[in-house]
Amino acid sequence: MVRYLLVTHGEIGQALAECAYQIFNKKIDRLECISINPKDDIDKKKYLISQTINRIDSGDGVIIFTDIIGATPCNILKEFIVENKVSVLTGVNLAMIIKALSSNNKPLESIIQESLDSALDNILKVSQDD
Amino acid sequence: MIKKKIKIINKLGLHARASSKLTELANNFKCDIKIKKGSEEADAKNMMDILMLSANYNSKVDIIFSGSDEKKASNEIEKLFLNYFGEDE
C-alpha cells in the first residue's frame, strides 16, 4: 500500500493530517508529517526525511505532499524523488489528502493523478447555490 | 435497479465526516451506487465526488443502486441518512 508524508512550512502538514483524522474518525498510520521551520538545521531535516521514507515505504511507494513550489520544503525534497517509488506533489490541500487516503490498493501513479485532479477540482469560486 | 429519493435531514448536510461514513458504508457493497442532486451525479464510493455535490440540509437527492446486493445496500444507506449519519441533529 502506498504511504504518505507531509513535509511543509511549520505546522500546516500536522493541521491537515489532524483534519483528515477527524474526517475519517481515526488516526491514519499511512500518513506522517515533518515540519520545516526557519531555524531548522536543514541537513538534520534531510536526514529525518530520508529515514522516514525508508521506514514507511512498504514497497509500493511514497507520496510526499508539500505546500509551495520553490520554497525550502519543496526544494529539499527534490533529492528524494525516485521514479515510480518516491514522488513529490506541491500545492497540498485537504481534498488532495482525502483523495489519496481513500485510494486504497491503487498503484502509485494512479493515486498521484487522482490526487492532483481532486486538488484542482476543489479550487472553485463558491456560489450561494452550491 | 433501485432508486430512492432522500431528503437530507441532518443539519450539516453531506459534509466531510458524513461523506466519509457514507463512502465507508457504500464500499461494503458490490453494487454501483450513484447519488444525483439536480444534474450533478456522484459515485457514493468516492468521498470527494460526494463533497462536490454540496448537498446541504433539506436538499433532496436520488440514490440509484444497481447490482447484486442493491436491496441490502439501499436499506442500509437509507438508514444512515435517516439516522443523521450518527450525528445529534
Side-chain angles (χ1 to χ4, degrees):
Chain A
M1 201 177 268
V2 172
R3 306 295 168 120
Y4 306 101
L5 177 61
L6 278 153
V7 179
T8 62
H9 288 91
E11 305 305 316
I12 295 172
Q14 190 61 44
L16 286 168
E18 280 170 15
C19 291
Y21 302 156
Q22 281 175 28
I23 290 166
F24 290 107
N25 200 26
K26 59 187 171 195
K27 171 94 167 65
I28 297 155
D29 295 333
R30 292 190 295 137
L31 177 64
E32 297 210 12
C33 307
I34 294 174
S35 300
I36 307 291
N37 294 296
K39 291 183 180 171
D40 282 345
D41 179 327
I42 293 302
D43 289 331
K44 282 185 182 167
K45 285 290 175 177
K46 283 184 179 177
Y47 179 74
L48 177 62
I49 292 166
S50 168
Q51 294 290 306
T52 305
I53 292 169
N54 290 334
R55 177 172 53 77
I56 66 176
D57 186 12
S58 64
D60 294 323
V62 175
I63 297 175
I64 309 177
F65 299 106
T66 188
D67 43 39
I68 190 168
I69 195 150
T72 302
C74 187
N75 292 343
I76 64 177
L77 288 170
K78 286 180 185 169
E79 69 186 72
F80 299 104
I81 296 170
V82 180
E83 187 74 16
N84 296 321
K85 191 167 168 59
V86 180
S87 294
V88 176
L89 307 185
T90 187
V92 66
N93 62 24
L94 194 53
M96 188 189 261
I97 292 173
I98 288 170
K99 188 69 188 179
L101 291 172
S102 306
S103 305
N104 293 335
N105 299 320
K106 288 187 178 172
L108 184 73
E109 288 305 319
S110 162
I111 296 175
I112 289 169
Q113 195 53 55
E114 288 182 11
S115 300
L116 290 172
D117 290 345
S118 184
L120 293 170
D121 287 347
N122 275 269
I123 297 173
L124 296 163
K125 184 181 179 194
V126 178
S127 74
Q128 288 188 325
D129 297 330
D130 285 328
Chain B
M1 188 190 82
I2 296 173
K3 185 175 174 180
K4 294 219 172 190
K5 189 175 277 295
I6 295 181
K7 186 175 172 182
I8 295 173
I9 56 171
N10 63 308
K11 219 167 185 176
L12 296 175
L14 271 180
H15 64 115
R17 289 192 308 281
S19 300
S20 171
K21 284 183 183 172
L22 176 55
T23 306
E24 195 177 357
L25 180 60
N27 274 298
N28 290 330
F29 301 105
K30 288 179 189 159
C31 62
D32 282 333
I33 307 170
K34 303 287 182 204
I35 306 178
K36 288 187 83 172
K37 181 185 157 229
S39 58
E40 303 288 322
E41 185 179 278
D43 178 356
K45 298 182 181 182
N46 181 329
M47 183 177 161
M48 291 312 306
D49 237 28
I50 298 170
L51 286 174
M52 293 290 285
L53 285 178
S54 289
N56 299 325
Y57 175 58
N58 268 338
S59 58
K60 286 175 188 149
V61 294
D62 290 318
I63 311 184
I64 299 133
F65 306 82
S66 39
S68 57
D69 52 359
E70 60 189 29
K71 192 166 174 28
K72 190 164 192 281
S74 65
N75 287 338
E76 292 197 21
I77 285 179
E78 185 176 37
K79 202 187 291 176
L80 182 68
F81 277 79
L82 296 176
N83 284 340
Y84 300 79
F85 297 93
E87 295 165 6
D88 293 336
E89 55 181 7

